[in-house]
Amino acid sequence: MKKLILALFLMGTFYVQAQSITAWTEENGTLGLGYPVPIPVDTTEAFDGFRTYAGLFAKHQSLVMNNPYITGQIMGQTRDQRDFWTYVLSDADNTTKYGVIEGAMLINGTVHAREWQSPELLTGIMELLDANSQDQSLHQFLLENTTIIVSPVNNIDGFLQTQRYPTENWYSSQVGPRDGRMRRKNMLDVDEDLQTQPDFLFGVDLNRNNSPYWATSSRSSFDVNSIVYHGAASQSEPETLAKVNAATLVDAEQIRIFTDVHSFTQVHFSVRTNIQNRNILQANLLQDFTNHHRAFPAGKNYVDSPSGPNNGIGATDEYFAETYEVPSWTLEIEPTGNGGLDYGGFGRNGHDGFILPESEIRRVREQLSQTFMTVWYKQAGPPSVTQIRIIDKLTGIVVYDASWDIQADGSRDLYTHVFENLQPDKDYSLIIAFDKPMRHRNNNDEIVHLQGQSGYSLNPNINATINGQAIDINPSASSWLNQKSQNVTSYKYYKDDTFKLDFSIPSDVVLDENSQIQWSIDVDDMMGQKLDGNPQTVITWNNGQWQNYEDSSGEMSIFGGTDNSYFVPIRINSLNSFEPMIQPSGLYYDPARSGEGFSYELLSNGNSVWIQWFTYDAQGEQRWFSGVGEYSANTIIVNSLTHAHGGMFGDEFNSANIVFEDFGSLEIIFNGGEALNPPVGSHTVARTAQVLFTDTNGNKLRTNLSQLSFVKGAVNQPADPLATIQEPVGLITGSWYDQTRSGEGYIIEILEDNRAILVWYTYDLAGNLMWLIDSNGMVTAQGNDITLDFNEVQVTDGGVFGSNFDASAVNLTPWGEVHFQLGCQGAGTINYTSVLDGFGNGQYNITKLTNPMLLSFVCDD
Amino acid sequence: MVRFKLCLLLLVFLACSTSAKLYSQAEIDVVTNSEVALKSNKNFVNDFFTAKDPQVFIENFINSNEKSNDFLKIEYKLFTLLEEISYQPKQDFLQEFVAVMKEYQQKAKKMHTEGRLAVPVYQLNSKARGIENIWLADTSFNKYQILLNKNPVETLLRLKNTLSDLSQPEWLGLKKSINDVTIDNHIKISDFLLQDYSNMQGLDKFVSHYALMTNNQNLTSIAINNLDLSSREYLLRKLSAYFAADFTIQQLLQAIEINKSKALAVTLLQPYMDKENVQLFLIESLKDKQIASQAAFVLSHSKHEDTILKLEKIYSTSQSSQQRQQIVFILKLNQQSISKQILKRLKIKDETSKNWLVKFNRSIK
């Protein structure tokens, strides 16, 4: 009886053929989900739910306003004339920290309006990079060494339509749910009123509107009512043109990867082309993606389901695969094909997979964002060695330095310099820097495999040979470096981009006058990519694969190998009469570049050094750069050399307007020395130095330094504080400034021959950087009061920054006179009178800023 | 019953040995839109429910069609039957059929809309599993309706350890059962939860829904301060749907003050931004780096010219570059013509805003 009643009931409740507006519900029903129907919340903030388009858009724009790494561009309009925005996440230049053109990662979202997972993920990616933009690790690396191009919402009109009707759509069991919450297509010939039935099936499927396979498949349609209507022509839709246009924000050869983010099915729909290596690399990359993501506790597995070559459906990813020959795929975000059932839903309608429960979106957003970081890290390029240094462990002396320097033609040259021979039976540290962060750390700061990776050794495999014979280098301690400092055992740019290995060379090793150790380095980056076997040729992506990515034999490959490029002399004896060591404070210059130079002061507290570089810009105008670094053994390292803006000569000067900007980094490494004959006061040894300046774009400038000034009593290690010398004038050497005019100052040196040198670093009348110099100052001491008269102060011009510097082009022009009245306690006045128009004369009260390391001078009693 | 299961499982196994068939959308449409198929399906469903022995009926149906290879029609019928069953309460004969359909090897396939992946035309497996979820939700509802009325405190104490393990259907049933709790038991539940904050631990999700569904202001206030992130945020964003404006504003401002989901709470003030105290708070928040963008987003929704003009005045006098920058942000996001006019006449002082405005030459509609 019970069954009969049911049957009678069913007779009256069978199919309703007509389309009607039907609501998705939490409870059981025609479109019952089994979980709450998400309603977009008008907020900018990520939460357990979905944001309105206005909220997402405002979030994107606020990131643009507040994070200098994020910029926005309008790349086109939609059918309804809304602006299509693309966001670029990168630093201002298009080169890496290592001087190489950046690879670009493209990601496009919300081609299909109803797939709300997509804009949340793309916004999540932006939020993740924003939040970690100063992490000195993976995210900052990506921002500074790649260009990430994010187009969060392609089908804006359609997306807004789905959010206008977040619970409703037209529905019949035959056609399925359409328009409203289930709108897929754009809004061509569609009004925004769901109630108007004639137009609800219209619109173009933006994932069928693309070349080269537009209208070539039965899986797209000429029928304007079809869910896969391909439009009137290839790229007929403004949304299609806009997303294609987004790729023009970078040069075509920069593009390394493209993802079109959809939902659902939890699958990679990748596109194969006719380049097999590309297909192999793409498959590997997607496997890495899957492995990483599956390692999260939720264990979501994304399967690669490739299509092509030579056919397609007019999808977006096909355009990018064929046009740029890069890994390109449609990412179908979870759920699986089971739809909402994956989350305990009712499985009433197969379209419920488009409606991810609110409770899942935070996890999806955050964890997929992290996974994207890893594949972009991989597509940033395989790793290569950038620098090798060997340090004498006992003394801290850098004995060997090798570095790959980028050249104007895009190749690299291996710079090498021997400061001291390697010698048997001594302990050394080998420092190897790479061009990306190489390792991942867990929450306990321990080096571990990146989740989903396991197939590589966490430490590099480093071997040494002499004349082809392997030698035991007795490796002891080793570590990846994750502490930043201004000394030689620091990471280079990012945490764990540098590896340190302590070793010693056996005493019984057989050597001759030509013996060299050849180093072989075998290491994978955190995604398991091996080293570039030959860093001389810079790796690029072209024609569907990595180019110049040599294996261990130096042959072209797509998987890299061991780098065997480094040969270091080893001898029984030392190379030098005096060991390599920093020289005392003073002025230094490259004899081949007379007309520019450095001043540095080894400060008496700690290991700080205050350094100034007096040079020129590319147009021959004066420039000065300054920084505080650290010194140890034979090195001076300044991580950030800055240049100032906003100053003005004379009364117009306002400290509040001064802004310092990073200009690059500086390293000075001193060679071993020869006896200075005859000695000059406290100066007994002459040493030269190798200088490396690296700008923020990775461009390098190398020069040499020789000592120019012999500062009275200057020493390169702390003097005996008890051995005081009552000579007040000795205390004048150092930097001075007017406390009300912070941002300009005076370097004064009292020399061993009782002359004085002045370098006044300031600004000209137009606010440009200017420095004035006089090396013939007259010193008059009366007890503790010192008078300095600089009657031949000059200004220079004509030099050119960098490798094109020509000393003969430097002009010296008389500027005027400067007179100081200084007390040995560190206070005094400056008076100046210029002979040049506009500078006039003036007087300031000044105080001593620095105390360079000198003999223990004291004032008169 | 056992025989029925065994036979069907054997059929499922036999079906495994037959390869799936890929259908074009046109072929699918022909079947799906066919009046004949619809009528046939209708008869099939009725035959199932009126069969003397539904098990034998299904067994015979699958047996007789197994060799036809007309998987599309077969699975369409089975799908239609499942669709009808999804409205029925759990019964043994239905349950057995659904259990078998969970494992049925689907043979009628179509190409996924976006890629080269064969997917079932009719999701028989997930449909069957979904029906079990529907029944599970009903069972859970019945269970908790009894438990919460019989011994509510003991039920909550047990839930403290099990709530996080409840499946979605079980949670749905529990949530629904709250509506059927008697007044006396509501008092007991509320007293228990308010007795000690530790009583809420493990019950976060329950408390966030319970506080709203019972319009319990006291519990809501305390819960905002004590629940985990997800539950707190749920509570905050649903406040306006359950409580009066004054209480909602008070709770949102309180959450901001105690730094609980601060940024989200600011944006949730949007419906109340024209209230004087809220507007003052939002304008002042434009100086607070932590929530300036959120406050700006809220103010950008203003439809009142007075508010926009007030912001212009503040821009001219504010010493806070943060605040000035955010006012520019508001003016750009705001859709009123007055905002566009102000932007034209405003002398933009900050470089960041200037650079941003260059790019932002049009705003959303």
Side-chain angles (χ1 to χ4, degrees):
Chain A
M1 178 58 77
K2 187 176 178 183
K3 277 189 283 182
L4 181 63
I5 294 168
L6 267 175
L8 289 170
F9 173 73
L10 288 168
M11 294 291 281
T13 60
F14 223 82
Y15 287 96
V16 177
Q17 293 287 325
Q19 304 278 342
S20 61
I21 293 178
T22 308
W24 293 88
T25 57
E26 181 179 12
E27 300 288 337
N28 191 18
T30 304
L31 297 178
L33 289 170
Y35 46 84
V37 186
I39 307 294
V41 176
D42 203 15
T43 178
T44 52
E45 300 312 293
F47 69 104
D48 284 326
F50 297 89
R51 287 167 275 190
T52 59
Y53 177 66
L56 292 166
F57 178 76
K59 169 56 77 172
H60 305 153
Q61 292 294 324
S62 70
L63 294 177
V64 170
M65 280 193 77
N66 297 319
N67 190 324
Y69 285 118
I70 305 176
T71 54
Q73 303 288 335
I74 296 169
M75 302 310 297
Q77 276 74 41
T78 67
R79 271 283 166 201
D80 291 342
Q81 297 301 305
R82 293 186 173 90
D83 291 332
F84 172 82
W85 280 80
T86 293
Y87 300 94
V88 179
L89 292 89
S90 187
D91 56 8
D93 59 66
N94 70 343
T95 56
T96 68
K97 284 273 192 189
Y98 316 95
V100 175
I101 298 295
E102 291 174 352
M105 320 297 161
L106 273 62
I107 186 165
N108 184 63
T110 331
V111 162
H112 291 146
R114 60 191 172 187
E115 298 164 4
W116 290 6
Q117 292 95 317
S118 178
E120 283 291 341
L121 167 59
L122 271 69
T123 305
I125 286 170
M126 294 173 68
E127 290 167 327
L128 177 65
L129 285 162
D130 171 60
N132 295 284
S133 59
Q134 301 296 325
D135 71 349
Q136 298 181 323
S137 189
L138 175 63
H139 303 90
Q140 193 171 348
F141 165 79
L142 288 171
L143 289 166
E144 293 178 344
N145 296 276
T146 70
T147 303
I148 295 168
I149 297 176
V150 181
S151 302
V153 186
N154 184 224
N155 184 1
I156 302 169
D157 302 341
F159 184 50
L160 284 167
Q161 179 74 344
T162 64
Q163 296 206 321
R164 245 174 242 122
Y165 305 100
T167 64
E168 292 179 315
N169 40 237
W170 286 93
Y171 177 75
S172 78
S173 58
Q174 280 74 41
V175 179
R178 295 284 294 271
D179 206 5
R181 176 63 183 85
M182 279 297 127
R183 170 153 287 277
R184 166 186 167 100
K185 303 190 287 181
N186 76 353
M187 294 286 278
L188 175 65
D189 298 330
V190 185
D191 64 30
E192 295 176 351
D193 183 356
L194 185 63
Q195 302 292 333
T196 53
Q197 190 170 12
D199 62 352
F200 82 96
L201 294 173
F202 290 172
V204 175
D205 181 356
L206 299 174
N207 213 31
R208 295 294 188 278
N209 191 231
N210 304 273
S211 61
Y213 298 117
W214 179 81
T216 62
S217 162
S218 62
R219 292 164 63 203
S220 70
S221 174
F222 286 93
D223 178 2
V224 294
N225 290 327
S226 167
I227 195 80
V228 288
Y229 172 51
H230 53 46
S234 175
Q235 300 190 343
S236 60
E237 300 311 293
E239 291 92 344
T240 305
L241 292 172
K243 73 187 166 198
V244 165
N245 201 21
T248 64
L249 288 168
V250 289
D251 294 334
E253 57 268 26
Q254 287 182 259
I255 297 175
R256 297 269 174 86
I257 186 171
F258 173 80
T259 316
D260 197 27
V261 177
H262 290 246
S263 68
F264 61 99
T265 307
Q266 204 171 295
V267 64
H268 304 296
F269 285 132
S270 61
V271 181
R272 285 187 295 221
T273 68
N274 287 307
I275 297 176
Q276 288 313 308
N277 279 345
R278 175 202 164 280
N279 297 340
I280 291 167
L281 291 168
Q282 175 176 269
N284 289 349
L285 187 71
L286 294 180
Q287 190 58 55
D288 286 331
F289 184 111
T290 293
N291 291 344
H292 182 269
H293 199 67
R294 193 175 49 215
F296 283 112
K300 299 292 178 181
N301 186 52
Y302 282 76
V303 178
D304 183 16
S305 182
S307 64
N310 303 325
N311 59 66
I313 57 175
T316 312
D317 56 357
E318 293 159 4
Y319 171 82
F320 283 91
E322 298 284 356
T323 305
Y324 298 105
E325 288 291 359
V326 294
S328 176
W329 84 106
T330 295
L331 172 70
E332 296 283 358
I333 299 176
E334 61 179 272
T336 65
N338 291 325
L341 188 78
D342 282 359
Y343 316 106
F346 290 163
R348 294 302 311 252
N349 186 284
H351 289 71
D352 63 0
F354 292 114
I355 306 180
L356 189 78
E358 289 180 331
S359 56
E360 304 294 329
I361 187 60
R362 188 195 299 270
R363 174 184 56 77
V364 168
R365 183 200 298 127
E366 292 179 355
Q367 296 181 354
L368 274 177
S369 296
Q370 291 177 52
T371 297
F372 266 102
M373 299 303 119
T374 67
V375 293
W376 289 344
Y377 166 85
K378 188 168 188 180
Q379 287 305 97
S384 64
V385 171
T386 61
Q387 188 176 51
I388 284 190
R389 281 194 170 143
I390 298 175
I391 297 159
D392 184 323
K393 269 196 80 178
L394 183 66
T395 62
I397 290 169
V398 174
V399 298
Y400 175 78
D401 187 20
S403 178
W404 289 102
D405 292 354
I406 197 81
Q407 305 299 301
D409 66 1
S411 67
R412 296 188 186 102
D413 272 358
L414 183 62
Y415 162 86
T416 61
H417 192 85
V418 178
F419 295 89
E420 177 60 285
N421 291 328
L422 283 185
Q423 293 170 278
D425 206 21
K426 289 184 82 169
D427 294 329
Y428 294 100
S429 295
L430 173 67
I431 311 282
I432 309 170
F434 302 92
D435 60 357
K436 61 199 304 192
M438 296 291 280
R439 286 295 173 267
H440 173 70
R441 287 177 187 259
N442 63 15
N443 291 336
N444 297 326
D445 222 20
E446 299 159 335
I447 294 281
V448 292
H449 285 104
L450 189 67
Q451 68 178 47
Q453 295 286 334
S454 60
Y456 54 83
S457 165
L458 289 174
N459 278 350
N461 184 16
I462 298 170
N463 291 304
T465 56
I466 297 179
N467 300 327
Q469 297 295 311
I471 62 164
D472 184 358
I473 55 171
N474 303 311
S476 49
S478 65
S479 60
W480 290 98
L481 305 179
N482 71 337
Q483 297 298 318
K484 187 65 177 169
S485 64
Q486 299 194 107
N487 64 51
V488 288
T489 53
S490 160
Y491 67 75
K492 189 74 179 172
Y493 293 119
Y494 306 101
K495 290 173 184 171
D496 304 308
D497 69 0
T498 303
F499 184 76
K500 175 172 169 280
L501 171 72
D502 292 342
F503 70 96
S504 62
I505 299 170
S507 55
D508 58 354
V509 67
V510 178
L511 302 175
D512 60 31
E513 68 273 17
N514 296 316
S515 292
Q516 297 187 102
I517 293 182
Q518 182 180 13
W519 296 94
S520 297
I521 302 157
D522 177 21
V523 63
D524 299 51
D525 69 13
M526 64 176 105
M527 288 292 278
Q529 288 188 116
K530 288 210 164 291
L531 277 182
D532 179 8
N534 178 14
Q536 185 172 21
T537 54
V538 174
I539 295 173
T540 58
W541 182 280
N542 192 23
N543 201 24
Q545 65 173 75
W546 298 116
Q547 304 289 343
N548 303 324
Y549 186 22
E550 290 83 5
D551 63 16
S552 309
S553 310
E555 301 297 321
M556 293 292 283
S557 80
I558 57 171
F559 296 120
T562 302
D563 183 356
N564 306 305
S565 310
Y566 314 98
F567 296 84
V568 184
I570 177 166
R571 303 286 187 277
I572 297 294
N573 299 317
S574 168
L575 180 68
N576 305 298
S577 304
F578 292 86
E579 69 179 3
M581 195 173 182
I582 50 167
Q583 288 287 88
S585 305
L587 296 183
Y588 289 78
Y589 81 124
D590 184 342
R593 298 170 66 92
S594 179
E596 67 167 10
F598 292 86
S599 154
Y600 71 73
E601 296 173 33
L602 307 177
L603 303 182
S604 52
N605 49 334
N607 288 322
S608 296
V609 57
W610 166 236
I611 195 161
Q612 305 263 1
W613 187 3
F614 300 102
T615 181
Y616 307 89
D617 66 12
Q619 285 71 46
E621 301 299 324
Q622 285 187 317
R623 288 288 180 269
W624 51 264
F625 306 102
S626 57
V628 177
E630 287 187 16
Y631 64 88
S632 67
N634 63 333
T635 59
I636 292 172
I637 296 177
V638 185
N639 285 339
S640 178
L641 204 60
T642 61
H643 61 135
H645 292 289
M648 192 68 77
F649 190 85
D651 294 342
E652 297 294 312
F653 183 93
N654 182 352
S655 289
N657 295 334
I658 305 290
V659 176
F660 289 94
E661 285 183 11
D662 190 17
F663 182 61
S665 62
L666 188 72
E667 293 180 348
I668 300 173
I669 309 179
F670 281 89
N671 293 292
E674 299 293 332
L676 191 59
N677 192 12
V680 182
S682 59
H683 303 265
T684 57
V685 180
R687 295 182 180 89
T688 59
Q690 310 300 120
V691 178
L692 168 63
F693 168 72
T694 309
D695 72 15
T696 51
N697 295 331
N699 298 308
K700 294 177 179 177
L701 173 67
R702 292 187 183 278
T703 67
N704 302 310
L705 284 192
S706 295
Q707 192 167 355
L708 181 63
S709 66
F710 295 94
V711 172
K712 181 186 284 290
V715 289
N716 58 359
Q717 49 196 324
D720 180 357
L722 298 176
T724 56
I725 304 168
Q726 204 166 54
E727 191 170 359
V729 71
L731 288 165
I732 298 301
T733 291
S735 291
W736 297 70
Y737 81 123
D738 181 341
Q739 291 178 342
T740 66
R741 297 172 64 87
S742 179
E744 68 170 5
Y746 316 89
I747 294 168
I748 296 172
E749 292 181 354
I750 307 298
L751 306 185
E752 293 282 8
D753 62 7
N754 284 325
R755 280 182 298 129
I757 290 178
L758 165 67
V759 186
W760 182 0
Y761 52 98
T762 180
Y763 310 84
D764 67 13
L765 299 169
N768 302 308
L769 295 167
M770 179 178 80
W771 49 274
L772 307 169
I773 187 164
D774 187 342
S775 55
N776 279 306
M778 199 162 62
V779 181
T780 309
Q782 286 192 324
N784 288 331
D785 298 325
I786 316 296
T787 302
L788 305 178
D789 296 304
F790 295 97
N791 299 318
E792 297 171 3
V793 176
Q794 296 177 304
V795 63
T796 69
D797 69 327
V800 175
F801 186 82
S803 55
N804 292 329
F805 183 88
D806 177 5
S808 67
V810 175
N811 305 306
L812 289 165
T813 304
W815 185 85
E817 296 180 4
V818 178
H819 305 282
F820 291 91
Q821 294 290 330
L822 305 174
C824 75
Q825 301 288 357
T829 58
I830 169 184
N831 284 278
Y832 68 87
T833 304
S834 178
V835 296
L836 296 183
D837 287 347
F839 288 96
N841 55 59
Q843 176 178 319
Y844 307 123
N845 296 319
I846 60 175
T847 53
K848 190 121 180 266
L849 177 66
T850 60
N851 290 308
M853 198 153 63
L854 303 167
L855 296 176
S856 301
F857 294 120
V858 293
C859 296
D860 278 351
D861 294 335
Chain B
M1 186 61 71
V2 174
R3 180 183 64 82
F4 172 66
K5 270 184 97 172
L6 281 174
C7 288
L8 275 183
L9 285 171
L10 184 63
L11 286 172
V12 167
F13 172 75
L14 284 172
C16 287
S17 61
T18 315
S19 56
K21 190 171 173 184
L22 199 62
Y23 293 89
S24 70
Q25 192 57 47
E27 290 173 300
I28 296 166
D29 288 346
V30 165
V31 171
T32 308
N33 298 328
S34 153
E35 287 295 328
V36 175
L38 288 176
K39 195 172 177 185
S40 170
N41 286 0
K42 191 173 161 185
N43 291 336
F44 174 73
V45 171
N46 277 308
D47 290 347
F48 172 82
F49 280 102
T50 55
K52 187 178 175 187
D53 188 338
Q55 295 92 323
V56 173
F57 170 77
I58 288 295
E59 191 179 325
N60 289 340
F61 169 74
I62 296 180
N63 258 332
S64 61
N65 288 287
E66 197 265 320
K67 289 177 184 167
S68 73
N69 281 345
D70 201 353
F71 303 124
L72 192 61
K73 285 183 182 166
I74 297 168
E75 294 183 11
Y76 188 25
K77 277 190 166 59
L78 294 170
F79 184 82
T80 307
L81 179 53
L82 285 171
E83 174 70 14
E84 292 304 325
I85 289 172
S86 68
Y87 288 106
Q88 307 305 323
K90 188 163 73 170
Q91 299 171 68
D92 285 349
F93 78 105
L94 300 179
Q95 205 175 347
E96 292 297 338
F97 174 67
V98 166
V100 172
M101 283 296 101
K102 278 166 57 184
E103 307 302 326
Y104 182 85
Q105 293 296 313
Q106 296 158 111
K107 292 293 188 316
K109 299 282 178 92
K110 63 178 179 179
M111 203 59 96
H112 188 287
T113 319
E114 307 306 318
R116 189 175 287 178
L117 180 69
V119 296
V121 177
Y122 303 106
Q123 295 275 9
L124 299 175
N125 300 156
S126 54
K127 189 85 176 166
R129 289 187 166 88
I131 290 169
E132 287 194 336
N133 285 342
I134 293 169
W135 289 339
L136 182 56
D138 290 344
T139 307
S140 173
F141 167 71
N142 294 331
K143 174 184 164 185
Y144 286 107
Q145 190 188 34
I146 295 166
L147 289 175
L148 287 175
N149 281 311
K150 192 175 173 186
N151 197 337
V153 172
E154 190 180 301
T155 303
L156 292 185
L157 286 169
R158 252 200 319 267
L159 274 173
K160 280 167 76 74
N161 297 320
T162 57
L163 183 61
S164 61
D165 297 328
L166 289 191
S167 66
Q168 173 61 28
E170 288 172 311
W171 162 244
L172 184 60
L174 167 59
K175 193 170 60 168
K176 196 175 163 189
S177 72
I178 295 172
N179 290 322
D180 286 4
V181 173
T182 63
I183 293 174
D184 285 351
N185 284 319
H186 274 315
I187 292 168
K188 287 179 189 169
I189 291 172
S190 180
D191 286 349
F192 168 76
L193 294 172
L194 291 168
Q195 184 184 5
D196 192 318
Y197 300 156
S198 66
N199 285 353
M200 294 188 191
Q201 283 173 10
L203 293 172
D204 301 73
K205 190 159 78 163
F206 176 84
V207 174
S208 64
H209 284 77
Y210 186 83
L212 293 168
M213 291 169 74
T214 56
N215 278 99
N216 188 329
Q217 291 192 355
N218 195 15
L219 182 59
T220 298
S221 290
I222 292 166
I224 287 171
N225 204 12
N226 288 284
L227 298 187
D228 64 24
L229 178 71
S230 293
S231 300
R232 179 174 66 245
E233 289 185 352
Y234 179 80
L235 197 51
L236 288 171
R237 69 190 168 92
K238 295 289 181 185
L239 281 171
S240 62
Y242 289 86
F243 294 105
D246 286 349
F247 178 76
T248 302
I249 292 167
Q250 182 194 38
Q251 295 309 304
L252 291 171
L253 291 174
Q254 174 72 10
I256 294 162
E257 191 179 328
I258 60 177
N259 202 16
K260 298 279 188 183
S261 302
K262 190 173 182 178
L264 177 67
V266 172
T267 62
L268 296 174
L269 285 167
Q270 187 190 313
Y272 318 105
M273 62 188 219
D274 292 325
K275 288 184 176 282
E276 194 179 350
N277 63 329
V278 174
Q279 192 169 98
L280 280 173
F281 169 79
L282 290 168
I283 290 172
E284 195 58 25
S285 297
L286 296 175
K287 297 176 190 168
D288 181 346
K289 197 177 176 186
Q290 269 191 306
I291 51 172
S293 295
Q294 291 77 11
F297 172 66
V298 173
L299 288 166
S300 75
H301 287 74
S302 176
K303 292 180 171 56
H304 296 289
E305 200 170 304
D306 288 353
T307 306
I308 303 300
L309 289 168
K310 190 194 291 181
L311 289 168
E312 182 188 19
K313 273 186 190 165
I314 293 168
Y315 183 93
S316 307
T317 56
S318 175
Q319 297 300 308
S320 162
S321 63
Q322 174 82 33
Q323 193 179 34
R324 290 198 304 271
Q325 187 175 315
Q326 295 301 334
I327 289 172
V328 174
F329 188 46
I330 294 166
L331 295 171
K332 283 312 299 183
L333 292 179
N334 186 262
Q335 295 306 298
Q336 295 192 80
S337 57
I338 183 71
S339 295
K340 291 177 176 56
Q341 290 165 26
I342 292 171
L343 272 175
K344 278 182 192 164
R345 66 180 181 238
L346 212 59
K347 194 179 170 195
I348 307 296
K349 298 173 186 173
D350 310 285
E351 283 302 314
T352 312
S353 303
K354 271 187 202 169
N355 294 337
W356 178 71
L357 274 172
V358 168
K359 290 173 220 151
F360 199 148
N361 54 17
R362 267 195 286 186
S363 59
I364 58 165
K365 301 197 171 196

